[in-house]
């Protein structure tokens, strides 16, 4: 007998980094939302590294925030350390990274979820989806409880048929020995979704008291206050450092001697692991000429002594892990608290999804996060919020929200996934974004706040502030265009200070700012009177003027891309009817079902001739309609 | 490759097959067609002439002020044209080199090289061709584009594509280095890329591109004709055939089988068909190591050829080696030449007929100078009948290469300017990546995940 426990607009299965954003976004948009998760004490748990952000990923956190997400706010409240990376480089690649307090992060996130209107948080294992006439209508739990729903979002991370591997030890498990989800995975296969097998790994954790930090280098946080969220006003001054040490030839010897014992190298593991997150075994085999590898020691929180040993991800037997750890300077007497392991899991082949993250096969069913073949908390959060938004939008009869590649890293991520798929767990890199100059850390709010506000995910207060900021930027740019700076002693004094060659002719303040060595602050000093602008406005004005040439070029590229993006492919297109498209391209097009000619052109195996033909075919349809 | 939206820009291409002496037409279509032509045309003011008139004048290179060719220019204003856009046709007289020169000047004025079949595509999209013809248009694009793509790559000098591959790899390594500094700022084993390294690398590559363009300007690339290989067993008369066609004694002619040990190239023009003739060493199993190298290379030549002249000996019986050669050329474009008809017949012609599977067979006696006219007309016929479609495409792709090289050069100059201005490397790198992409279009390699792959093979990254 099943018990029907209610009807919801949106059901989110899982409460990891994707799940919480999905649930929050849907609930905030007014959808009656249920979140079902295996273990309520593990909401938004970080099973791997205790950090958020970094290049590309840090920008994603800001984008999620600009759309009204929660990750930025929770980390801003709980971090133990914050650092701005790439400060010596251009503005497009700067990014924040925070060291997280894992237990506190969970606590804070749970608190937010519990207090969110329209959101029900419940513990439970989903075994099955309720499918009626090919449409997803709800879920069924192991305790025979059924919930009906308009839409369901699956965000089960690495739990599906998870298998932990360490040496020759192998057992079914979710990450960190949590319960594994078996039936749901089988069920997804039964209803016709293609699954693939991926793997990832984690290093051992050691007890901080047993580390000799004097043999390592300190890695402190920034003193300057930083935050991910545009709403954050309070900063944590009391920060905890990380520490750096290195492997050495002894470490490498131990690993080489025991390679055959590694779960991965003994060939047991079938899943594909990521190249950018290799195990220490991998690093030593593939780059055997390197005398040492970095090892970062990262505290897992303020109230725990566990320290994450970044750089020693491994699936070697526990006994060998002891030896490896002891070979590293500073860790000679370190006690392992949890050994490292590899985990293998089922992922959904993401080309089965629309760019809204709804599955093509089963309307009403969405998937988001690591289940879609990505890696990383930030990538998960990004998909979560988009799935939540689109699930709610669908039942509310609103237009779907699809970000394009020039709007956000989120757009790059989802477009890559649904258009190209991925053969290894997908990680965002700045190199994946062709318009990264436009996708900056500093302008995530300018890019996306309007969208968040429109959806009801951004408060009126915040939007008002945002609007003011925008105005200030425009006014200041306008003002600088009008002001002429003449060469005189005072001006050239400032020029000299900035390390610039003296001014010889009068120049507009706007044009002077284009010199790489002159920041906004320097130029401002050459002007007699100027408004007292907030730092972020000054920064924005400086960047927009200084890199105007590059930004313009990028925008031209975008305009060209958008032309192709605007050429929509009719939903009912029959590729078999289009003679001339190569068979391989036809197969790919039928599978991916791109929404626009632009998307079609990014599918590997679809060449320019196929795109031309597709274009002609579509235009032909348009011509035919006009003729009728 | 970027796909442009339709009808927004002005496109151009050579719209007649190649052939020296014959009139060649460069066609332009689009809003700027007439204005662009006016800028490089000396004669009546084309902006004012009536539609559908033919005008005599000269095309002048605006930079060198040299006269590129004497021409007849047809001006046809929209909408009463093939594409329903403004169309200009420039009838050139000075042969392929001149016509390519004219095309190049037009491209330098901002016209875009037409994609294969694009004039027809525009005609269709502008409603000039009716719906029932849509399929045909698509087939045309298919056929022409594929051919152009493969031709563009295949017909390129092996050294050129090799060089471009190398330049790309160098750029890619530099870019990957910048990228890794961005994506993994804390990895100390990856040295920070400096402006200095980037400057040196950009300058090096820039210099090589400039050198390439210079060669192109001298018309060397332009004159590259249809790659034509002469093959056959030793002593059948390959070198003699080459000599006859070139009409000068360049290759060594001897009575010892296997004299031609390496490959000899010549450019000839057979009835307006530009050929790059390649004389190969006789293909057969051999112990002689020096010769063996020649044989290996002959097989290579075969792969890269557009047309094969396959020589048999009338005086000799059909051997296993001949049969093997027939197998080797299967699927390729070839003409069978039965040589030495002045000598006694030992060759089984009916067998040859079967093996040739309908390909043209010509009989010659090179010593008596017989059958040469027939051979030349067979070559011309194969060429113009469309069996070998490359004719204009060969040139087109070359002009395309030049155009792309110029774009690559200018992207690299943007990068160099950024370096001098002290722009952050991650900005400069945008232009370097662009250069890499453009060079990729030349050799038909536009895979976008090259960078990501490079990143992970070059550096040891990760947690
Ligand atoms: N009788 C007669 N002899 C010919 C004819 N064509 C070529 N020969 C002779 O055949 C011999 C071989 O000619 P080549 O042109 O060197 O032949 P090949 O096939 O290039 O020979 P390799 O050196 O092996 O490459 C020479 O002595 C030529 O003069 C022909 O039509 N009739
Ligand atoms: Mg010879």
């Amino acid at each position: 007998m099943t018990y029907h426990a209610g009807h919801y607009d949106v059901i989110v299965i899982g409460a990891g980094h994707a799940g919480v954003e999905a649930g929050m976004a849907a609930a905030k948009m007014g959808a009656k939302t249920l979140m079902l998760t295996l273990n309520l004490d593990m909401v938004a748990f970080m099973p791997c590294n205790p950090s958020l952000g970094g290049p590309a990923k840090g920008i994603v956190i800001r984008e999620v925030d600009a759309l009204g997400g929660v990750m930025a706010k929770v980390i801003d409240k709980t971090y133990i350390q914050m650092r701005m990376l790439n400060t010596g480089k251009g503005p497009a690649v700067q990014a924040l990274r925070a060291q997280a307090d894992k237990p506190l992060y969970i606590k804070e996130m749970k608190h937010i979820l519990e207090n969110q209107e329209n959101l029900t948080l419940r513990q439970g294992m989903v075994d099955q989806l309720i499918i009626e006439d090919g449409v997803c209508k709800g879920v069924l739990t192991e305790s025979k409880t059924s919930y009906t729903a308009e839409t369901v979002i699956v965000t089960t991370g690495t739990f599906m048929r998870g298998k932990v591997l360490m040496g020759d030890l192998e057992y079914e498990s979710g990450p960190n020995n949590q319960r594994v989800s078996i039936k749901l995975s089988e069920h997804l296969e039964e209803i016709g979704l293609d699954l693939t097998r991926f793997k990832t790994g984690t290093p051992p954790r050691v007890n901080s008291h047993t580390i000799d930090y004097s043999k390592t280098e300190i890695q402190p946080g920034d003193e300057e206050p930083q935050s991910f969220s545009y709403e954050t006003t309070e900063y944590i001054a009391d920060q905890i450092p990380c520490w750096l040490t290195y492997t050495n030839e002894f470490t490498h010897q131990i690993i080489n001697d025991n390679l055959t014992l590694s779960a991965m190298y003994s060939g047991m593991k079938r899943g594909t692991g990521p190249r950018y997150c290799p195990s220490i075994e991998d690093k030593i085999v593939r780059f055997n000429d390197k005398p040492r590898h970095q090892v970062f020691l990262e505290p897992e929180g303020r109230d725990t002594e566990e320290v994450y040993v970044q750089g020693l991800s491994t699936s070697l037997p526990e006994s060998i892990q002891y030896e490896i750890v002891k070979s590293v300077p500073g860790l000679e007497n370190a006690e392992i608290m949890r050994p490292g392991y590899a985990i293998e899991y089922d992922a959904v082949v993401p080309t089965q999804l629309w760019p809204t993250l709804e599955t093509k096969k089963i309307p009403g069913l969405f998937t988001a996060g690591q289940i879609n073949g990505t890696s990383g908390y930030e990538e998960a959060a990004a998909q979560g919020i988009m799935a939540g938004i689109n699930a709610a939008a669908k039942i509310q009869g609103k237009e779907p929200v699809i970000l394009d590649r020039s709007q956000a890293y989120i757009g790059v991520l989802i477009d890559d996934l649904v258009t190209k798929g991925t053969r290894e767990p997908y990680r965002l890199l700045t190199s994946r974004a062709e318009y990264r100059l436009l996708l900056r850390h500093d302008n995530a709010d300018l890019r996306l706040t309007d969208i968040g506000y429109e959806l009801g995910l951004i408060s009126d207060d915040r939007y008002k502030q945002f609007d003011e900021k925008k105005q200030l930027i425009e006014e200041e740019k306008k003002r600088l265009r009008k002001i002429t700076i003449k060469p005189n002693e005072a001006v050239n004094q400032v020029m000299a200070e900035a390390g610039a060659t003296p001014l010889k002719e009068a120049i507009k303040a706007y044009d002077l700012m284009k010199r790489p060595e002159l920041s906004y602050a320097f130029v401002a000093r050459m002007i007699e009177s100027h408004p007292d602008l907030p730092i972020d406005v000054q920064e924005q004005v400086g960047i927009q003027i200084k890199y105007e040439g590059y930004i313009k070029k990028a925008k031209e590229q975008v305009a060209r891309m958008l032309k192709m993006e605007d050429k929509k492919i009719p939903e009912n297109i029959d590729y078999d009817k289009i003679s001339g498209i190569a068979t391989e391209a036809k197969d790919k097009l039928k599978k991916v079902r791109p929404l626009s000619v632009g998307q079609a052109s990014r599918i590997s195996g679809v060449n320019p001739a196929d795109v031309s033909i597709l274009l002609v075919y579509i235009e032909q349809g348009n011509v035919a309609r006009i003729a009728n | 490759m970027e796909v442009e939206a339709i009808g927004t820009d002005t496109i151009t291409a050579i719209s007649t097959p190649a052939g020296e002496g014959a009139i060649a037409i460069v066609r332009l279509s689009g809003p700027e067609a007439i204005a662009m032509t006016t800028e490089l045309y000396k004669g009546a003011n084309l902006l004012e002439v009536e539609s559908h008139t033919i005008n005599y004048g000269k095309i002048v290179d605006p930079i060198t002020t040299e006269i590129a060719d004497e021409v007849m220019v047809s001006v046809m204003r929209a909408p009463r044209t093939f594409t329903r856009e403004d169309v200009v046709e420039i009838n050139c007289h000075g042969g392929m080199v001149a016509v390519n020169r004219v095309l190049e000047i037009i491209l330098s004025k901002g016209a875009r090289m037409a994609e294969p079949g694009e004039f027809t595509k525009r005609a269709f999209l502008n409603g000039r061709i009716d719906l029932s013809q849509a399929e045909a248009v698509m087939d045309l694009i298919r056929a022409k584009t594929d051919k152009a793509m493969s031709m563009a790559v295949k017909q390129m000098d092996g050294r050129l594509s090799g060089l471009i591959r190398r330049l790309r790899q160098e750029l890619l390594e530099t870019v990957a280095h910048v990228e890794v500094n961005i994506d993994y700022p804390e990895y100390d084993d990856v040295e920070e890329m400096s402006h200095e390294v980037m400057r040196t690398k950009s300058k090096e590559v820039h210099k090589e591109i400039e050198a390439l363009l210079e060669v192109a300007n001298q018309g060397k690339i332009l004159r590259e004709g249809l790659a034509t290989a002469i093959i056959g067993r030793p002593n059948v008369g390959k070198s003699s055939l080459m000599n006859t066609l070139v009409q000068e004694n360049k290759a060594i002619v001897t009575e010892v089988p296997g004299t031609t040990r390496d490959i000899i190239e010549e450019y000839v023009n057979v009835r307006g068909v530009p050929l790059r003739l390649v004389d190969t060493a006789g293909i057969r199993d051999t112990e002689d190591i020096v010769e063996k190298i020649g044989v290996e290379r002959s097989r290579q030549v075969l792969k890269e050829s557009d047309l094969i002249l396959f020589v048999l000996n009338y005086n000799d019986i059909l051997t296993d080696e001949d049969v093997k050669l027939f197998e080797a050329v299967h699927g390729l474009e070839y003409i069978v030449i039965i040589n030495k008809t002045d000598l006694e017949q030992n060759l089984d012609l009916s067998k040859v007929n079967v093996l040739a599977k309908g390909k043209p067979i010509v009989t010659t006696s090179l010593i008596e100078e017989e059958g040469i006219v027939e051979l030349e007309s067979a070559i011309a016929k194969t060429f113009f009948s469309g069996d070998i479609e490359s004719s204009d495409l060969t040139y087109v792709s070359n002009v395309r290469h030049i155009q792309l090289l110029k774009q690559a050069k200018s992207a690299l100059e943007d990068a160099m300017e950024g370096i001098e201005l002290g722009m952050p490397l991650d900005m400069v790198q945008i232009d370097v990546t662009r250069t890499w992409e453009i060079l990729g279009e030349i050799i038909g390699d536009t895979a976008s995940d090259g960078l990501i792959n490079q990143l992970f093979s070059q550096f040891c990254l990760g947690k």
Side-chain angles (χ1 to χ4, degrees):
Chain A
M1 262 302 287
T2 61
Y3 166 71
H4 182 245
H7 182 80
Y8 291 86
D9 292 329
V10 178
I11 293 176
V12 180
I13 309 175
H17 303 280
V20 297
E21 297 291 353
M24 286 296 290
K28 276 190 179 174
M29 282 173 70
K32 190 181 168 203
T33 305
L34 170 70
M35 285 181 75
L36 287 167
T37 183
L38 290 176
N39 183 348
L40 274 186
D41 295 328
M42 301 295 260
V43 161
F45 174 60
M46 299 184 192
C48 201
N49 55 322
S51 74
L52 287 180
K57 291 161 168 269
I59 302 177
V60 167
I61 299 179
R62 285 208 142 193
E63 290 175 351
V64 171
D65 180 65
L67 290 170
V70 283
M71 181 175 258
K73 284 183 194 139
V74 176
I75 188 66
D76 279 352
K77 243 184 156 171
T78 57
Y79 62 88
I80 62 170
Q81 179 191 118
M82 189 82 96
R83 265 179 99 173
M84 183 66 96
L85 304 173
N86 286 333
T87 47
K89 303 190 180 87
V93 299
Q94 288 176 13
L96 266 183
R97 194 189 51 214
Q99 292 301 135
D101 184 318
K102 285 189 180 178
L104 208 55
Y105 191 90
I106 293 177
K107 205 172 141 199
E108 184 61 31
M109 186 66 83
K110 184 157 175 259
H111 181 69
I112 289 180
L113 295 173
E114 286 164 346
N115 288 287
Q116 176 60 45
E117 210 183 322
N118 294 332
L119 185 67
T120 304
L121 190 58
R122 186 162 300 166
Q123 193 159 292
M125 164 84 87
V126 172
D127 276 353
Q128 270 188 41
L129 304 172
I130 301 167
I131 311 277
E132 280 170 21
D133 300 328
V135 178
C136 187
K137 291 285 187 189
V139 303
L140 191 65
T141 70
E142 63 179 351
S143 57
K144 302 275 185 294
T145 309
S146 75
Y147 299 89
T148 49
E150 303 297 318
T151 54
V152 173
I153 307 174
V154 185
T155 68
T156 47
T158 60
F159 282 75
M160 291 206 312
R161 276 196 288 224
K163 193 171 269 182
V164 163
L165 306 148
M166 190 200 304
D168 59 4
L169 174 65
E170 176 180 328
Y171 59 94
E172 284 181 341
S173 170
N176 208 32
N177 288 345
Q178 297 185 78
R179 290 186 63 196
V180 59
S181 173
I182 304 273
K183 286 199 174 142
L184 185 60
S185 197
E186 288 168 355
H187 177 72
L188 292 183
E189 250 173 359
E190 268 164 36
I191 62 178
L193 291 182
D194 284 340
L195 303 183
T196 180
R197 200 100 175 122
F198 279 166
K199 70 163 193 234
T200 185
T202 195
R205 276 54 154 187
V206 298
N207 188 315
S208 180
H209 293 305
T210 62
I211 298 175
D212 180 356
Y213 287 111
S214 69
K215 293 184 178 161
T216 67
E217 295 161 31
I218 191 161
Q219 305 268 300
D222 288 350
E223 287 187 9
E224 207 175 305
Q226 309 275 13
S227 68
F228 277 107
S229 175
Y230 289 91
E231 285 180 55
T232 299
T233 49
E234 280 171 41
Y235 305 95
I236 301 170
D238 170 27
Q239 300 196 14
I240 300 176
C242 294
W243 306 85
L244 172 62
T245 178
Y246 296 91
T247 61
N248 53 43
E249 56 195 270
F250 298 114
T251 321
H252 301 187
Q253 190 59 49
I254 298 165
I255 293 164
N256 270 323
D257 288 348
N258 294 287
L259 263 187
T260 51
L261 302 178
S262 164
M264 178 165 55
Y265 279 91
S266 64
M268 236 159 60
K269 213 160 13 171
R270 292 171 303 275
T272 317
R275 284 172 297 177
Y276 47 77
C277 178
S279 63
I280 187 72
E281 295 95 294
D282 244 335
K283 289 198 244 183
I284 278 153
V285 171
R286 286 186 47 218
F287 295 90
N288 62 1
D289 54 332
K290 287 203 61 187
R292 63 178 202 177
H293 295 274
Q294 284 170 313
V295 174
F296 289 95
L297 303 173
E298 305 178 356
E300 296 225 324
R302 280 175 202 278
D303 298 327
T304 169
E305 297 309 319
E306 275 190 82
V307 173
Y308 179 90
V309 188
Q310 203 224 95
L312 289 188
S313 177
T314 180
S315 63
L316 281 161
E318 194 171 331
S319 58
I320 311 295
Q321 292 190 31
Y322 290 130
E323 284 183 55
I324 292 171
V325 166
K326 285 191 195 317
S327 74
V328 176
L331 303 181
E332 293 88 347
N333 297 309
E335 276 174 12
I336 290 184
M337 293 179 72
R338 301 175 206 225
Y341 60 87
I343 184 164
E344 190 181 82
Y345 56 96
D346 282 352
V348 169
V349 173
T351 48
Q352 299 171 100
L353 306 173
W354 296 114
T356 56
L357 299 179
E358 186 172 7
T359 58
K360 293 167 191 166
K361 204 157 245 159
I362 298 151
L365 176 65
F366 293 70
T367 61
Q370 216 153 346
I371 187 179
N372 287 343
T374 57
S375 90
Y377 313 135
E378 304 83 352
E379 287 89 341
Q383 293 169 68
I385 193 166
M386 296 316 293
I389 288 170
N390 281 308
K394 181 174 170 138
I395 55 173
Q396 292 168 356
K398 291 184 186 151
E399 280 293 302
V401 181
I402 298 167
L403 302 176
D404 70 52
R405 301 181 72 90
S406 68
Q407 271 178 306
Y409 272 97
I410 301 176
V412 174
L413 163 72
I414 295 179
D415 182 61
D416 276 350
L417 286 177
V418 305
T419 308
K420 298 179 182 156
T422 180
R423 261 177 277 163
E424 65 186 334
Y426 178 101
R427 175 196 163 132
L428 259 181
L429 297 162
T430 58
S431 13
R432 296 197 198 265
E434 51 279 69
Y435 313 112
R436 73 160 180 239
L437 190 52
L438 306 178
L439 307 184
R440 302 188 307 269
H441 164 87
D442 62 83
N443 72 353
D445 58 339
L446 296 172
R447 291 184 273 126
L448 301 170
T449 308
D450 281 321
I451 297 172
Y453 182 67
E454 191 102 334
L455 291 166
L457 297 170
I458 296 288
S459 70
D460 288 338
D461 266 1
R462 174 165 168 185
Y463 192 68
K464 211 174 126 232
Q465 270 184 21
F466 165 72
D467 222 29
E468 278 165 14
K469 176 180 171 184
K470 258 195 340 196
Q471 270 179 30
L472 286 176
I473 295 167
E474 288 315 310
E475 278 165 20
E476 182 62 0
K477 276 165 63 186
K478 224 191 247 166
R479 197 178 74 92
L480 292 174
R481 273 185 208 277
K482 287 187 195 141
I483 294 174
T484 306
I485 295 180
K486 299 194 183 85
N488 60 40
E489 212 172 300
V491 163
N492 278 333
Q493 174 66 37
V494 181
M495 293 292 279
E497 241 179 85
T501 51
L503 203 60
K504 290 202 191 82
E505 284 165 35
I507 184 170
K508 290 272 184 260
Y510 191 93
D511 293 322
L512 190 61
M513 188 100 80
K514 293 198 168 152
R515 297 228 190 144
E517 57 288 7
L518 294 177
S519 67
Y520 176 89
F522 277 119
V523 176
R525 277 172 54 195
M526 300 180 202
I527 304 169
E528 267 154 43
S529 73
H530 55 85
D532 187 19
L533 294 171
I535 290 286
D536 58 337
V537 172
Q538 293 188 21
E539 175 195 54
Q540 203 46 234
V541 170
I543 291 172
Q544 287 188 15
I545 297 176
K546 201 172 298 302
Y547 303 110
E548 194 178 37
Y550 282 97
I551 292 172
K552 195 169 151 246
K553 227 190 294 181
K555 284 194 170 154
E556 283 165 8
Q557 265 179 31
V558 170
R560 255 176 285 157
M561 176 220 27
L562 289 181
K563 258 194 230 164
M564 283 296 135
E565 233 53 35
D566 286 344
K567 298 224 179 287
K568 300 290 175 221
I569 299 176
E571 213 175 305
N572 56 1
I573 193 164
D574 182 354
Y575 290 107
D576 285 323
K577 281 212 185 118
I578 312 177
S579 70
I581 292 188
T583 314
E584 188 203 350
K586 230 177 237 184
D587 289 347
K588 292 273 179 72
L589 286 165
K590 279 197 262 185
K591 201 170 154 211
V592 174
R593 287 156 75 187
L595 299 179
S596 67
V597 175
Q599 194 191 347
S601 69
R602 287 191 294 275
I603 301 172
S604 65
V606 175
N607 68 32
D610 301 311
V611 174
S612 274
I613 290 165
L614 186 59
L615 208 55
V616 169
Y617 184 84
I618 293 165
E619 295 289 330
Q620 172 201 348
N622 292 342
V623 174
R625 262 195 301 286
I626 295 162
N628 289 338
Chain B
M1 182 180 288
E2 224 160 79
V3 184
E4 288 284 339
I6 297 140
T8 52
D9 53 1
T10 298
I11 54 170
T12 185
I14 298 172
S15 63
T16 42
E20 204 145 318
I23 291 177
I25 299 174
V26 177
R27 183 189 279 161
L28 293 90
S29 178
E32 296 295 315
I34 300 171
M36 276 176 187
T37 315
T38 310
E39 282 182 52
L40 32 101
Y41 173 78
K42 232 179 166 174
N45 184 350
L46 298 179
L47 293 171
E48 282 166 13
V49 302
E50 263 179 60
S51 186
H52 294 76
T53 55
I54 297 184
N55 309 273
Y56 170 78
K58 289 168 183 137
I59 297 291
V60 179
D61 186 327
I63 296 166
T64 62
T65 68
E66 271 171 37
I67 293 172
D69 201 8
E70 292 190 7
V71 295
M72 306 286 285
V73 175
S74 319
V75 174
M76 291 160 278
R77 295 203 165 80
R80 270 180 49 235
T81 68
F82 176 57
T83 56
R84 295 217 165 162
E85 301 173 336
D86 284 352
V87 169
V88 173
E89 286 185 354
I90 306 174
N91 298 259
C92 305
H93 297 89
M96 282 320 290
V97 177
V99 94
N100 276 302
R101 186 87 202 92
V102 170
L103 179 62
E104 252 195 281
I105 295 170
I106 292 167
L107 288 169
S108 75
K109 283 282 150 199
R112 178 169 62 76
M113 194 77 209
E115 300 289 332
E118 195 171 0
F119 287 105
T120 320
K121 183 162 104 186
R122 284 195 176 193
F124 167 71
L125 292 176
N126 292 327
R128 176 70 171 67
I129 297 176
D130 77 44
L131 282 178
S132 62
Q133 285 170 281
E135 296 258 305
V137 175
M138 289 187 264
D139 287 348
L140 182 85
I141 295 170
R142 165 94 269 150
K144 289 215 173 181
T145 312
D146 286 353
K147 190 84 183 174
M149 289 286 170
S150 63
M151 281 292 171
V153 177
K154 207 173 70 177
Q155 301 232 315
M156 194 164 41
D157 189 294
R159 279 166 312 207
L160 177 60
S161 63
L163 176 60
I164 287 181
R165 255 173 253 281
R166 178 169 65 71
L167 295 182
R168 285 192 91 214
Q169 185 57 28
E170 283 177 22
L171 291 178
L172 188 62
E173 280 167 21
T174 317
V175 169
H177 208 124
V178 177
E179 292 290 342
V180 88
N181 287 157
I182 295 168
D183 274 320
Y184 296 89
E186 281 159 335
Y187 276 80
D188 63 348
D189 51 300
V190 184
E191 215 179 300
E192 187 81 27
M193 185 62 159
S194 68
H195 276 79
E196 201 39 56
V197 176
M198 191 78 142
R199 177 188 287 126
T200 316
K201 185 65 41 183
S202 304
K203 273 194 182 152
E204 271 171 30
V205 174
H206 186 262
K207 219 170 114 189
E208 302 219 37
I209 295 178
E210 267 190 331
L212 273 178
L213 279 168
E214 210 157 287
V215 174
N217 277 338
Q218 289 161 4
K220 279 192 189 153
I221 296 181
L222 287 186
R223 274 197 296 276
E224 205 176 292
L226 206 65
T228 308
I230 306 176
I231 65 158
R233 277 194 293 126
N235 213 36
V236 292
K238 297 184 296 299
S239 301
S240 305
L241 175 60
M242 174 111 163
N243 289 348
T244 306
L245 289 173
V246 175
Q247 281 157 10
E248 72 179 44
N249 291 338
K250 185 164 182 185
I252 316 152
V253 185
T254 60
E255 287 170 30
V256 186
T259 332
T260 307
R261 294 203 169 174
D262 211 326
I263 287 167
I264 293 161
E265 281 190 22
E266 279 296 344
Y267 290 91
V268 295
N269 204 298
V270 174
R271 304 216 178 162
V273 181
L275 301 182
R276 192 176 87 232
L277 276 180
V278 180
D279 181 12
T280 65
I283 295 179
R284 59 159 195 179
D285 295 326
T286 171
E287 294 299 320
D288 185 338
I289 198 74
V290 182
E291 193 177 358
K292 195 162 182 160
I293 296 164
V295 173
E296 283 304 315
R297 287 194 52 192
S298 302
R299 291 230 160 85
Q300 183 64 28
V301 167
L302 208 59
K303 266 198 274 169
E304 289 165 3
S305 299
D306 301 308
L307 175 64
I308 292 149
L309 302 180
F310 177 8
V311 189
L312 294 170
N313 190 347
Y314 187 74
N315 186 229
D316 203 343
I317 57 155
L318 201 68
T319 67
D320 280 350
E321 284 159 47
D322 288 321
V323 176
K324 269 192 205 152
L325 280 178
F326 268 111
E327 283 165 16
V329 298
H330 178 76
L332 305 173
E333 209 57 56
Y334 63 93
I335 297 173
V336 179
I337 296 150
I338 300 173
N339 187 36
K340 305 199 187 184
T341 49
D342 52 295
L343 301 177
E344 191 195 332
Q345 173 173 6
N346 291 316
L347 195 67
D348 184 345
L349 291 185
S350 58
K351 266 194 199 157
V352 173
N353 251 321
V354 172
L355 286 166
K357 295 197 183 97
K359 294 285 177 193
I361 300 172
V362 182
T363 50
T364 61
S365 166
L366 293 171
I367 283 227
E368 308 275 2
E369 293 186 22
E370 270 172 30
I372 293 155
V373 175
E374 284 78 354
L375 173 60
E376 290 185 345
S377 78
I379 292 173
K381 208 170 140 198
T382 316
F383 186 81
F384 288 118
S385 73
D387 281 348
I388 302 165
E389 248 191 58
S390 73
S391 54
D392 55 338
L393 296 175
T394 310
Y395 290 97
V396 168
S397 15
N398 286 331
V399 176
R400 191 193 289 277
H401 296 160
I402 292 170
Q403 209 51 26
L404 287 167
L405 280 173
K406 282 183 182 163
Q407 283 173 25
K409 185 173 149 230
S410 115
L412 207 50
E413 279 158 8
D414 286 351
M416 287 155 77
E417 191 191 318
I419 294 169
E420 294 319 316
L421 284 173
M423 284 292 171
L425 276 186
D426 51 276
M427 300 250 171
V428 172
Q429 181 253 306
I430 293 171
D431 289 316
V432 180
T433 305
R434 178 93 195 104
T435 312
W436 174 74
E437 283 167 357
I438 298 167
L439 290 179
E441 280 186 36
I442 299 181
I443 53 171
D445 179 4
T446 49
S448 57
D449 51 1
L451 177 58
I452 306 274
N453 290 334
Q454 179 69 28
L455 213 61
F456 293 114
S457 59
Q458 194 173 338
F459 303 104
C460 175
L461 306 163
K463 59 186 170 187

